[in-house]
Coordinates of all heavy atoms in Angstrom, one line a residue:
L26 N 254.7 87.9 289.0 CA 256.1 88.3 289.0 C 256.8 87.4 290.0 O 256.4 87.2 291.1 CB 256.2 89.8 289.5 CG 257.5 90.4 289.5 CD1 257.4 91.9 289.1 CD2 258.2 90.3 290.8
L27 N 258.0 86.9 289.6 CA 258.8 86.0 290.4 C 260.1 86.8 290.6 O 260.7 87.3 289.7 CB 259.1 84.7 289.7 CG 260.1 83.8 290.4 CD1 259.7 83.3 291.8 CD2 260.3 82.5 289.5
I28 N 260.6 86.9 291.9 CA 261.8 87.6 292.2 C 262.9 86.7 292.7 O 262.7 86.0 293.7 CB 261.5 88.7 293.3 CG1 260.3 89.5 292.9 CG2 262.7 89.5 293.6 CD1 259.8 90.5 294.1
D29 N 264.0 86.6 292.0 CA 265.1 85.9 292.4 C 266.1 86.9 293.1 O 266.5 87.8 292.5 CB 265.8 85.2 291.2 CG 266.9 84.2 291.6 OD1 266.5 83.2 292.2 OD2 268.1 84.4 291.4
T30 N 266.3 86.6 294.4 CA 266.9 87.7 295.2 C 267.8 87.2 296.3 O 267.8 86.0 296.6 CB 265.7 88.5 295.8 OG1 266.2 89.5 296.7 CG2 264.7 87.6 296.6
D31 N 268.6 88.1 296.9 CA 269.5 87.8 298.0 C 269.4 88.8 299.0 O 270.3 89.5 299.3 CB 270.9 87.6 297.5 CG 271.5 88.9 296.8 OD1 270.6 89.7 296.3 OD2 272.7 89.1 296.8
P32 N 268.2 89.0 299.6 CA 268.0 90.2 300.5 C 269.0 90.3 301.6 O 269.1 89.4 302.4 CB 266.6 89.9 301.1 CG 266.0 88.8 300.3 CD 267.1 88.1 299.7
G33 N 269.7 91.5 301.9 CA 269.9 92.7 301.1 C 268.9 93.8 301.2 O 267.7 93.7 301.2
V34 N 269.6 95.0 301.6 CA 268.8 96.2 301.8 C 268.1 96.7 300.6 O 266.9 97.0 300.6 CB 269.8 97.3 302.4 CG1 269.0 98.6 302.5 CG2 270.3 96.9 303.8
D35 N 268.8 96.8 299.4 CA 268.1 97.3 298.2 C 267.2 96.2 297.7 O 266.1 96.6 297.1 CB 269.1 97.8 297.2 CG 270.2 96.8 296.8 OD1 270.5 95.9 297.6 OD2 270.8 96.9 295.7
D36 N 267.5 95.0 297.9 CA 266.5 93.9 297.5 C 265.2 94.1 298.3 O 264.1 94.0 297.8 CB 267.0 92.5 297.9 CG 268.3 92.2 297.2 OD1 269.4 92.7 297.6 OD2 268.3 91.3 296.3
A37 N 265.3 94.5 299.6 CA 264.2 94.7 300.4 C 263.2 95.7 299.9 O 262.0 95.6 299.8 CB 264.6 95.0 301.9
L38 N 263.8 96.8 299.4 CA 263.0 97.9 298.9 C 262.3 97.4 297.6 O 261.2 97.7 297.4 CB 263.9 99.1 298.6 CG 263.2 100.4 298.1 CD1 262.0 100.8 299.0 CD2 264.2 101.5 298.0
A39 N 263.1 96.7 296.8 CA 262.5 96.2 295.5 C 261.3 95.3 295.8 O 260.3 95.3 295.1 CB 263.6 95.5 294.7
I40 N 261.4 94.4 296.8 CA 260.4 93.5 297.2 C 259.2 94.2 297.7 O 258.0 93.9 297.4 CB 260.9 92.4 298.2 CG1 261.9 91.5 297.5 CG2 259.8 91.6 298.7 CD1 262.8 90.7 298.4
L41 N 259.4 95.3 298.5 CA 258.3 96.1 299.0 C 257.5 96.7 297.8 O 256.3 96.8 297.7 CB 258.8 97.2 299.9 CG 259.2 96.7 301.3 CD1 260.0 97.8 302.0 CD2 258.1 96.2 302.1
M42 N 258.3 97.2 296.8 CA 257.7 97.8 295.6 C 256.9 96.8 294.8 O 255.8 97.1 294.4 CB 258.8 98.4 294.7 CG 259.6 99.6 295.3 SD 261.1 99.9 294.5 CE 260.5 100.4 292.8
A43 N 257.4 95.6 294.7 CA 256.7 94.6 293.9 C 255.4 94.2 294.5 O 254.4 94.1 293.8 CB 257.6 93.4 293.7
H44 N 255.4 94.1 295.8 CA 254.1 93.6 296.4 C 253.0 94.7 296.3 O 251.8 94.4 296.5 CB 254.4 93.2 297.9 CG 254.9 91.9 298.0 ND1 256.2 91.6 297.9 CD2 254.3 90.7 298.3 CE1 256.4 90.3 298.1 NE2 255.3 89.7 298.3
R45 N 253.4 95.9 296.1 CA 252.4 97.0 296.0 C 251.7 97.0 294.6 O 250.6 97.4 294.5 CB 253.0 98.3 296.2 CG 252.0 99.5 296.3 CD 252.7 100.7 296.8 NE 251.7 101.8 297.0 CZ 251.5 102.8 296.1 NH1 252.2 102.9 295.0 NH2 250.7 103.8 296.3
Q46 N 252.4 96.4 293.6 CA 251.9 96.6 292.2 C 251.7 95.3 291.4 O 251.1 95.3 290.3 CB 252.8 97.5 291.4 CG 252.8 99.0 291.9 CD 253.4 99.9 290.9 OE1 254.2 100.7 291.3 NE2 252.9 99.9 289.7
A47 N 252.2 94.2 291.9 CA 252.2 93.0 291.1 C 251.7 91.8 291.9 O 251.6 91.9 293.2 CB 253.6 92.7 290.5
D48 N 251.4 90.7 291.3 CA 251.1 89.5 292.0 C 252.4 88.7 292.1 O 252.8 88.0 291.2 CB 250.1 88.7 291.1 CG 249.8 87.3 291.7 OD1 250.1 87.1 292.9 OD2 249.2 86.5 290.9
V49 N 253.0 88.9 293.3 CA 254.3 88.2 293.5 C 254.1 86.8 293.8 O 253.6 86.4 294.9 CB 255.1 88.9 294.6 CG1 256.5 88.3 294.8 CG2 255.2 90.4 294.3
V50 N 254.5 85.9 292.9 CA 254.2 84.5 293.0 C 255.2 83.7 293.8 O 255.0 82.6 294.2 CB 254.0 83.8 291.7 CG1 252.8 84.4 291.0 CG2 255.2 83.9 290.8
G51 N 256.4 84.4 294.1 CA 257.4 83.7 294.9 C 258.7 84.5 295.0 O 258.9 85.4 294.2
L52 N 259.4 84.3 296.0 CA 260.8 84.8 296.2 C 261.7 83.5 296.1 O 261.7 82.7 297.0 CB 261.0 85.5 297.5 CG 260.1 86.7 297.9 CD1 260.5 87.2 299.2 CD2 260.1 87.7 296.8
S53 N 262.5 83.5 295.1 CA 263.5 82.4 295.0 C 264.8 83.0 295.5 O 265.3 84.1 295.0 CB 263.7 81.8 293.6 OG 264.0 82.8 292.7
I54 N 265.5 82.4 296.5 CA 266.5 83.0 297.3 C 267.9 82.4 297.0 O 268.0 81.1 296.9 CB 266.2 82.9 298.8 CG1 264.8 83.4 299.1 CG2 267.3 83.7 299.6 CD1 264.6 84.9 299.0
A55 N 268.9 83.2 296.8 CA 270.3 82.7 296.6 C 271.1 83.4 297.7 O 270.8 84.4 298.3 CB 270.8 83.1 295.2
A56 N 272.4 82.9 297.9 CA 273.4 83.6 298.6 C 273.9 84.7 297.8 O 273.9 84.6 296.5 CB 274.5 82.6 299.0
G57 N 274.5 85.7 298.4 CA 275.1 86.8 297.7 C 275.5 87.9 298.6 O 276.6 87.9 299.2
N58 N 274.6 88.8 298.9 CA 274.9 89.9 299.8 C 275.4 89.4 301.1 O 276.3 89.9 301.8 CB 273.6 90.8 300.0 CG 273.3 91.7 298.9 OD1 274.2 92.2 298.2 ND2 272.0 91.8 298.6
V59 N 274.7 88.3 301.6 CA 275.2 87.5 302.8 C 274.8 86.1 302.5 O 274.3 85.7 301.5 CB 274.5 88.0 304.1 CG1 275.1 89.4 304.5 CG2 273.0 88.1 304.0
G60 N 275.1 85.2 303.5 CA 274.9 83.8 303.3 C 273.4 83.4 303.2 O 272.5 84.2 303.6
L61 N 273.2 82.2 302.7 CA 271.8 81.8 302.4 C 270.9 81.8 303.6 O 269.7 82.1 303.5 CB 271.8 80.4 301.7 CG 270.5 79.9 301.2 CD1 270.0 80.8 300.1 CD2 270.6 78.4 300.8
A62 N 271.4 81.4 304.8 CA 270.6 81.3 306.0 C 270.0 82.7 306.3 O 268.8 82.9 306.6 CB 271.4 80.8 307.2
H63 N 270.8 83.7 306.1 CA 270.4 85.1 306.4 C 269.5 85.6 305.2 O 268.4 86.2 305.5 CB 271.6 86.0 306.5 CG 272.3 85.9 307.8 ND1 271.7 86.0 309.0 CD2 273.6 85.7 308.1 CE1 272.6 85.9 310.0 NE2 273.7 85.7 309.4
T64 N 269.8 85.3 304.0 CA 269.0 85.8 302.9 C 267.6 85.2 302.9 O 266.6 85.9 302.7 CB 269.6 85.6 301.5 OG1 269.9 84.3 301.3 CG2 270.9 86.5 301.4
V65 N 267.5 83.9 303.3 CA 266.2 83.3 303.4 C 265.4 83.9 304.6 O 264.2 84.2 304.5 CB 266.3 81.8 303.6 CG1 265.0 81.1 304.0 CG2 266.9 81.1 302.3
A66 N 266.0 84.1 305.7 CA 265.4 84.7 306.9 C 264.9 86.1 306.6 O 263.8 86.5 307.0 CB 266.3 84.7 308.1
N67 N 265.7 86.8 305.8 CA 265.3 88.2 305.5 C 264.1 88.2 304.5 O 263.2 89.0 304.7 CB 266.5 88.9 304.8 CG 267.6 89.1 305.8 OD1 267.5 89.0 307.0 ND2 268.8 89.5 305.3
G68 N 264.1 87.3 303.6 CA 262.9 87.2 302.7 C 261.7 86.9 303.4 O 260.6 87.5 303.2
L69 N 261.8 85.9 304.4 CA 260.6 85.6 305.2 C 260.1 86.8 306.0 O 258.9 87.0 306.2 CB 260.9 84.4 306.1 CG 261.1 83.1 305.4 CD1 261.8 82.0 306.3 CD2 259.8 82.5 304.9
K70 N 261.1 87.5 306.6 CA 260.7 88.6 307.5 C 260.0 89.7 306.6 O 259.0 90.3 307.1 CB 261.9 89.2 308.2 CG 261.6 90.3 309.2 CD 260.7 89.8 310.3 CE 260.4 90.8 311.3 NZ 259.5 90.3 312.4
L71 N 260.5 90.0 305.4 CA 259.9 91.0 304.6 C 258.5 90.6 304.2 O 257.6 91.5 304.3 CB 260.7 91.1 303.3 CG 261.8 92.2 303.2 CD1 262.6 92.1 301.9 CD2 261.2 93.6 303.4
V72 N 258.2 89.4 303.9 CA 256.9 89.0 303.5 C 256.0 89.2 304.7 O 254.8 89.6 304.6 CB 256.9 87.5 303.1 CG1 255.5 87.0 302.9 CG2 257.6 87.4 301.7
E73 N 256.5 88.9 305.9 CA 255.7 89.1 307.1 C 255.4 90.5 307.4 O 254.3 90.9 307.7 CB 256.4 88.5 308.3 CG 255.7 88.5 309.6 CD 256.4 87.8 310.7 OE1 257.3 88.4 311.4 OE2 256.1 86.6 311.0
V74 N 256.4 91.4 307.2 CA 256.2 92.8 307.4 C 255.1 93.3 306.4 O 254.2 94.2 306.8 CB 257.5 93.6 307.2 CG1 257.2 95.1 307.1 CG2 258.4 93.3 308.4
I75 N 255.1 92.9 305.2 CA 254.2 93.3 304.2 C 252.8 92.7 304.5 O 251.8 93.4 304.1 CB 254.6 92.7 302.8 CG1 255.9 93.5 302.4 CG2 253.6 92.9 301.7 CD1 256.7 92.8 301.2
G76 N 252.7 91.6 305.2 CA 251.4 91.0 305.5 C 251.0 90.1 304.3 O 249.8 89.9 304.1
A77 N 251.9 89.6 303.5 CA 251.6 88.7 302.4 C 251.9 87.3 302.7 O 252.5 86.9 303.8 CB 252.4 89.1 301.2
Q78 N 251.4 86.4 301.9 CA 251.6 85.0 302.0 C 252.6 84.4 300.9 O 252.5 83.2 300.6 CB 250.3 84.2 302.0 CG 249.3 84.5 303.1 CD 250.0 84.2 304.5 OE1 250.5 83.1 304.7 NE2 249.9 85.2 305.4

Side-chain angles (χ1 to χ4, degrees):
L26 186 147
L27 173 62
I28 307 171
D29 192 66
T30 177
D31 59 335
V34 172
D35 52 337
D36 302 73
L38 183 53
I40 292 165
L41 290 168
M42 293 164 65
H44 278 83
R45 187 170 184 260
Q46 293 196 232
D48 175 18
V49 182
V50 297
L52 304 181
S53 56
I54 309 290
N58 285 321
V59 288
L61 187 67
H63 285 306
T64 55
V65 170
N67 293 347
L69 289 165
K70 186 62 178 181
L71 267 174
V72 170
E73 183 174 85
V74 168
I75 293 165
Q78 296 300 313

